[in-house]
Amino acid sequence: MKKILISCVLCVCALISQAQVERPKLVIGLAVDQMRWDYLYYYYNEFGEGGFKRLLNEGFSCEKTLINYTPTVTAIGHTSIYTGSVPALHGIAGNNFRLNGQPVYCCFDKNVKSVGSNNSAGQMSPHNLLATTIGDQLRIATNYQSKVIGVALKDRAAILPAGHAANAAYWWDKKAGHFVTSSFYMDKLPQWVTKFNKDNQAEPGFDMLANTKGITMTFKMAEAALQNEQLGKGNATDMLCVSVSPTDIISHIYGTRRPEVKAAYLQLDKELAQFLKTLDAQVGRGNYLLFLSADHGGAHNPNEMKAQRIPAGGYDAKATMNKLNAHLQQKFGVDSLFNWFYAYSLHINQGAIAKANLQIDKVKQEAVNFLSKDSQFAFVVDMQNLNATTLPSKLKEQLANGYNLHRSGDIQVVCNPNVVDAKVDEKYIGTTHSAWNPYDAHIPLIFMGWKVEHGQTAKTTHIVDIAPTVCSMLHIQEPNACIGETIEEVADND
């Protein structure tokens, strides 16, 4: 009888073991700020074997991954990667946007305090994010046993990917010269972070974001989090969200083709190779699932394009808005009817409209008519009347996805190709982003590691497809505002 009972217990244990959901020990998300898709191949011959080449040679590359909204900026890109959603739904309508009629920074939170310094750099949280992330869903699925941590130099690039239920997010405080967090996550820094900051203290004020040293610092902090938080060592799957921010600032300063940008990507390749070696050693090759993508791309420098007889240019947003307001003052007798022009989007001055008792639709129509005379603008759109505007269907969808009723601007301008939102003179060597065009919207996407078979697809995929693909592989519910589709070539490898 005793033997029968023991046999029954062993059978039950075996069945329970077989019924356990199979997941990797660790998920790593890597977002490279302002990385154009074509950089994978533009620098390919100069990459080493262990970084980007390893990802391409071992992983699965989605060669035509597009951003399906506009504007294409950092806060939105990082949010959309991890929520599988768009600004219309997840609420992060830009790095800055309007909330209750007032301009706000996407992560600023007056109700939290800096932890790790006495500066305002830590007064940040994900409280403006309306949707859940991959990490949130992972925490829910494992009864909050999973650890989720975000690391980046930019606060928004650490906070928004990690989500609401994250255990921690760490970002760089330039004034302090080290990493900080906020009271949203904890009351004081863990001992390991305090030690890391002491060992890696930078001169206060040093611009880590504009230097390749910032790339190295990001990966050092990511490895420190991996080791000290014992990520991938527990019974539940953990997640580490890492963003490489200096590639964005360096590109803003130097464009897309200068030696400084090349140096940044070759340094990134070296750091990536070392990071993958660390993951192999700490977590085990085949025990982690990693994906690499970007929040947006970037345009080639307009002066460089014009030198090759390729149409390009730039417009001065402030000057454009001033001219518009001067015209509207003549028409309606009221000054400053528009008070913010950001990321190709004009915000109407609701207070001035109400005070003057003007009809907002007439003001917007007059603004559309005036701006439409500027030959640099291909389209000028009243966003609340988007469906009534004649536009290519793809562009209309991107505009709709990027428009949040309570946070976005009222009128959107769509520039001619390679006309950027920047004051371009003969000395301008940098670049920017925000537009719908492929140079801003075509991003890399590579999956590697656990259950990922080597290969690639030229089929169109989107930034919002990343989250549902990862969630499908983990057998967890996708984020609650997700509109993306699972990439079957990646996920169907069980």
Side-chain angles (χ1 to χ4, degrees), residues 316-326 338-341 346-347:
D316 185 332
K318 184 177 181 180
T320 299
M321 188 173 72
N322 288 342
K323 290 177 183 177
L324 171 62
N325 279 331
F338 285 86
N339 56 6
W340 196 19
F341 198 173
L346 278 150
H347 294 251

Side-chain angles (χ1 to χ4, degrees), residues 359-413:
Q359 293 184 24
I360 191 170
D361 287 342
K362 287 187 177 181
V363 174
K364 289 194 292 183
Q365 187 57 56
E366 187 65 29
V368 169
N369 292 341
F370 177 81
L371 293 170
S372 295
K373 296 175 183 177
D374 191 325
S375 61
Q376 293 189 104
F377 300 147
F379 300 98
V380 182
V381 182
D382 175 356
M383 290 304 296
Q384 287 197 319
N385 290 309
L386 176 61
N387 285 336
T389 306
T390 302
L391 289 167
S393 58
K394 178 182 176 181
L395 180 53
K396 183 175 285 190
E397 179 184 0
Q398 286 179 270
L399 289 171
N401 285 341
Y403 177 68
N404 186 284
L405 176 63
H406 302 290
R407 301 183 176 190
S408 297
D410 301 279
I411 290 177
Q412 186 92 11
V413 300

Side-chain angles (χ1 to χ4, degrees), residues 115-146:
V115 175
S117 79
N118 295 319
N119 304 316
S120 61
Q123 283 190 278
M124 305 289 168
S125 82
H127 73 119
N128 286 324
L129 174 59
L130 303 178
T132 59
T133 62
I134 301 170
D136 289 331
Q137 297 300 143
L138 180 60
R139 294 265 290 157
I140 293 169
T142 61
N143 291 322
Y144 306 98
Q145 298 304 301
S146 296

Side-chain angles (χ1 to χ4, degrees), residues 159-176:
I159 292 167
L160 297 171
H164 302 277
N167 300 85
Y170 302 103
W171 55 93
W172 191 257
D173 182 338
K174 180 179 176 180
K175 289 183 179 179

Side-chain angles (χ1 to χ4, degrees), residues 330-357:
Q330 287 185 338
K331 179 73 175 180
F332 298 103
V334 181
D335 190 23
S336 301
L337 285 175
F338 285 86
N339 56 6
W340 196 19
F341 198 173
Y342 169 76
Y344 303 99
S345 187
L346 278 150
H347 294 251
I348 203 162
N349 188 339
Q350 297 284 352
I353 293 286
K355 185 176 180 180
N357 198 28

Side-chain angles (χ1 to χ4, degrees), residues 222-245:
E223 290 191 13
L226 176 73
Q227 294 167 2
N228 288 281
E229 294 291 347
Q230 293 291 289
L231 300 180
K233 300 293 188 180
N235 295 323
T237 300
D238 297 322
M239 185 166 193
L240 179 60
C241 310
V242 183
S243 180
V244 181
S245 303

Side-chain angles (χ1 to χ4, degrees), residues 43-300:
Y43 297 119
Y44 185 86
N45 291 339
E46 296 179 75
F47 286 148
E49 296 300 319
F52 284 110
K53 281 186 178 179
R54 178 178 169 187
L55 291 183
L56 289 168
N57 293 334
E58 293 184 18
F60 190 94
S61 180
C62 301
E63 293 286 287
K64 194 180 178 184
T65 300
L66 303 175
I67 294 174
N68 58 333
Y69 55 78
T70 185
T72 46
V73 297
T74 297
I76 303 178
H78 282 83
T79 303
S80 296
I81 287 171
Y82 288 89
T83 63
S85 193
V86 293
L89 297 171
H90 62 54
I92 302 300
N95 296 336
N96 302 279
F97 47 83
R98 285 285 173 88
L99 192 58
N100 300 320
Q102 299 298 317
V104 299
Y105 175 66
C106 58
C107 290
F108 177 71
D109 188 348
K110 65 180 181 180
N111 296 315
V112 302
K113 297 179 180 179
S114 297
V115 175
S117 79
N118 295 319
N119 304 316
S120 61
Q123 283 190 278
M124 305 289 168
S125 82
H127 73 119
N128 286 324
L129 174 59
L130 303 178
T132 59
T133 62
I134 301 170
D136 289 331
Q137 297 300 143
L138 180 60
R139 294 265 290 157
I140 293 169
T142 61
N143 291 322
Y144 306 98
Q145 298 304 301
S146 296
K147 285 186 178 181
V148 176
I149 295 176
V151 171
L153 296 186
K154 290 182 180 179
D155 51 71
R156 58 187 180 270
I159 292 167
L160 297 171
H164 302 277
N167 300 85
Y170 302 103
W171 55 93
W172 191 257
D173 182 338
K174 180 179 176 180
K175 289 183 179 179
H178 59 237
F179 280 96
V180 297
T181 187
S182 86
S183 58
F184 177 85
Y185 303 98
M186 61 192 73
D187 295 326
K188 65 178 182 179
L189 290 177
Q191 186 175 356
W192 71 264
V193 178
T194 300
K195 183 180 186 303
F196 180 92
N197 283 339
K198 183 179 179 180
D199 293 343
N200 296 277
Q201 179 67 42
E203 184 70 26
F206 175 74
D207 195 354
M208 194 68 71
L209 274 165
N211 197 291
T212 55
K213 291 181 180 179
I215 298 172
T216 301
M217 186 67 74
T218 301
F219 280 98
K220 286 181 73 173
M221 183 59 173
E223 290 191 13
L226 176 73
Q227 294 167 2
N228 288 281
E229 294 291 347
Q230 293 291 289
L231 300 180
K233 300 293 188 180
N235 295 323
T237 300
D238 297 322
M239 185 166 193
L240 179 60
C241 310
V242 183
S243 180
V244 181
S245 303
T247 45
D248 177 69
I249 304 303
I250 292 170
S251 295
H252 274 295
I253 298 170
Y254 298 108
T256 63
R257 288 294 183 261
R258 291 180 179 267
E260 295 85 355
V261 179
K262 175 182 175 180
Y265 277 91
L266 294 186
Q267 183 66 35
L268 171 58
D269 184 57
K270 291 178 182 177
E271 300 297 344
L272 176 59
Q274 180 56 49
F275 185 56
L276 293 175
K277 283 184 180 179
T278 300
L279 289 170
D280 290 343
Q282 296 292 319
V283 186
R285 199 173 182 125
N287 289 329
Y288 60 86
L289 170 64
L290 180 146
F291 65 85
L292 180 144
S293 191
D295 53 351
H296 55 75
H300 292 307

